[in-house]
Amino acid sequence: MRRSAGLVPALILVGAAVAGCGPQVGPPAASPTTTAASASPTPSETSSPTETASPAPATTAPRGSLKTFTTADGQLAFDLPATWSVRDPAGELPEGGGAFAEVTNEAGRPMATLRTNMATGSTCLEKYPYAVLESQELPALAQDGETPRFIYETRGNTATPGPADTPAAAYGIVSVPAPTGDLACPMFHFFTWPPTAAMFGAFYNPENNRTPGVESLPYLEQARRYMDTTEYQNIRRMITSLRPAG
């Protein structure tokens, strides 16, 4: 099943948040704010015992060479593989500034987008079968007693498709409460961050998130198998390292 190639896992982006949401073409320019960092251990990478159609892999991300990137506005930092690149800004910033950085791997394929100062809104008109493939709390990003979490999740199944024209799997950071029951609203991957909201993640796109040997499998199965790849575990390690700069 072929899905949309969009990068931003959101239901609705209001106003300036819409700008620059598609994949960036070509390799990004190196950012002058990228500095070397040691490959020190990151927070726990265990999965949460939530509803899941496929357990999280038992493997741990390999400890390769890392570097630390600080956003151009100096507010946030994260660690990424030394061979990956960041474009910042990756597009027009919203009124009032903020961060807009796109991370690409060594082949120039987009892995995740980080944005702040976003105007967001959501409407849940229909719910779908869902699976939480992996979840991890991120206390470094807590705001007003609310702790965001990294999540990799899906919508739909073999009997019931997810939302039309929207990729059915995505990874990112969320602040919204976890769904209960058998159905969930469309994926809305934003978390509370001053002055409004932020995002750091992407839809799963087999053209960008490649898993060798699974091309003939259905989209959702490809998304589950992607968890076993070094690339996904590097993405998870990168996103879960997000923290206030300094």
Side-chain angles (χ1 to χ4, degrees):
M1 177 167 61
R2 188 181 182 90
R3 314 292 291 198
S4 166
L7 284 178
V8 179
L11 179 60
I12 297 177
L13 301 183
V14 183
V18 176
C21 292
Q24 302 296 327
V25 178
S31 170
T33 56
T34 301
T35 57
S38 62
S40 56
T42 55
S44 170
E45 293 174 336
T46 58
S47 55
S48 171
T50 53
E51 291 85 350
T52 174
S54 176
T59 55
T60 301
R63 299 300 177 189
S65 177
L66 296 177
K67 58 187 177 183
T68 296
F69 175 82
T70 301
T71 56
D73 65 357
Q75 298 302 304
L76 291 166
F78 59 87
D79 303 325
L80 68 159
T83 57
W84 292 10
S85 301
V86 185
R87 174 167 25 203
D88 184 10
E92 184 179 355
L93 296 174
E95 183 178 353
F100 184 0
E102 183 191 63
V103 181
T104 54
N105 66 6
E106 57 273 11
R109 291 184 278 107
M111 298 285 97
T113 299
L114 169 63
R115 300 195 67 172
T116 64
N117 192 19
M118 302 187 71
T120 66
S122 66
T123 302
C124 186
L125 300 178
E126 189 171 1
K127 294 187 176 183
Y128 306 87
Y130 74 98
V132 176
L133 305 182
E134 193 163 29
S135 180
Q136 176 185 327
E137 288 194 343
L138 305 177
L141 301 176
Q143 295 287 315
D144 300 323
E146 179 182 73
T147 301
R149 65 192 185 280
F150 167 80
I151 193 168
Y152 185 28
E153 61 179 338
T154 65
R155 292 292 183 273
N157 54 31
T158 54
T160 305
D165 302 319
T166 303
Y171 48 82
I173 302 175
V174 298
S175 291
V176 296
T180 58
D182 298 328
L183 302 175
C185 296
M187 291 177 291
F188 191 65
H189 285 186
F190 292 92
F191 63 99
T192 303
W193 190 257
T196 51
M199 65 154 290
F200 192 19
F203 282 119
Y204 170 75
N205 178 356
E207 295 181 3
N208 296 326
N209 311 103
R210 296 179 181 174
T211 307
V214 303
E215 292 80 7
S216 62
L217 296 176
Y219 171 88
L220 288 175
E221 183 59 26
Q222 291 187 44
R224 293 184 180 93
R225 298 285 185 91
Y226 186 61
M227 295 178 67
D228 296 327
T229 66
T230 297
E231 184 174 89
Y232 167 76
Q233 294 180 36
N234 279 330
I235 289 171
R236 180 185 63 183
R237 178 173 61 173
M238 175 181 69
I239 294 176
T240 59
S241 76
L242 186 68
R243 57 197 182 273

